[in-house]
Amino acid sequence: MVDQSDEPDRPADVPIGVDGVFASARRVVLREVEALLSRTEEEEAQALIDAVRAAGRVFVLGMGRSKMAVDAFAMRLMHLGLTVHVAADATTPAISEGDLLIACSGSGETPTVVCLTRTAARAGARVAVVTGNPDSSLARDADLVVRLREYSQDYRPSDSSQFVGTLFEQGAFLFFDCLVLVLEGSQHADAEAMFARHANLE
């Protein structure tokens, strides 16, 4: 969810190349995502991987497009055979000691996410936060933080050409997919077993 307490800056103009507007926009998006992911700290990513491995159960939490990214991560963890729940779903059990909550918020100030994260911490769960704002309320309350900072296509910080929050959400989705690939390899995951867990009520 976007922090609406401040007026967002106007996105930068997208330079149009000779091959058309879509090709130009595609280049901007791909370069910005590469800038974001290539600046993600290896140690922070590894800490989150280790926390997932160590958890009895994994719970995920987000709102808006951040929720879409972290929910997709939850699905892949389920395919890997982990016990995983999406916070606030009707069938989600109580979180407790030994569990891990992964909260995803670009601003780190989304009220519902902050409130539920603090509830999880009081219940004894470990809290991991994926955010674009390491000085946020979420980050301050977390046991571990992964920073996904927005950059322009030429690596200028906080200068994305896309609408506010868009690059973080794109980056979060792909960041979680990178974690899944690491977990697949380290657990010697069986593709057939993963496919067998895929939803058949579709």
Side-chain angles (χ1 to χ4, degrees):
M1 182 175 178
V2 174
D3 182 2
Q4 297 179 341
S5 59
D6 295 316
E7 186 72 21
D9 294 331
R10 180 188 180 280
D13 292 330
V14 177
I16 305 303
V18 296
D19 49 355
V21 292
F22 173 77
S24 298
R26 181 196 67 222
R27 281 192 295 273
V28 169
V29 170
L30 293 178
R31 288 170 181 165
E32 288 191 350
V33 169
E34 169 63 21
L36 181 151
L37 291 176
S38 66
R39 291 297 194 271
T40 302
E41 294 291 337
E42 179 76 19
E43 296 79 8
E44 294 177 358
Q46 186 61 57
L48 182 52
I49 291 168
D50 293 341
V52 169
R53 288 178 178 145
R57 299 177 298 176
V58 177
F59 292 70
V60 303
L61 171 63
M63 297 296 288
R65 286 173 30 130
S66 294
K67 174 175 170 57
M68 295 177 188
V70 79
D71 284 6
F73 183 47
M75 177 189 284
R76 288 291 182 253
L77 295 181
M78 176 273 292
H79 290 152
L80 285 168
L82 279 67
T83 301
V84 58
H85 301 282
V86 176
D89 276 4
T91 57
T92 300
I95 196 169
S96 61
E97 187 174 349
D99 295 332
L100 172 69
L101 175 72
I102 302 174
C104 183
S105 169
S107 70
E109 300 292 349
T110 308
T112 302
V113 177
V114 172
C115 179
L116 293 181
T117 297
R118 289 172 176 167
T119 299
R122 287 195 298 270
R126 194 172 186 204
V127 172
V129 167
V130 177
T131 184
N133 183 5
D135 299 318
S136 62
S137 299
L138 269 184
R140 288 193 297 271
D141 292 341
D143 296 298
L144 65 96
V145 177
V146 176
R147 294 166 293 173
L148 298 183
R149 191 175 181 186
E150 294 193 349
Y151 288 88
S152 70
Q153 60 178 322
D154 54 2
Y155 295 87
R156 292 192 304 270
S158 304
D159 198 26
S160 171
S161 295
Q162 302 179 72
F163 181 70
V164 60
T166 300
L167 178 57
F168 171 82
E169 295 145 3
Q170 294 164 342
F173 198 102
L174 293 176
F175 169 76
F176 289 130
D177 277 350
C178 292
L179 298 193
V180 169
L181 192 58
V182 174
L183 290 165
E184 282 185 58
S186 63
Q187 296 180 200
H188 306 290
D190 184 293
E192 290 186 6
M194 289 180 68
F195 188 74
R197 297 185 189 101
H198 188 70
N200 56 8
L201 296 179
E202 291 184 320

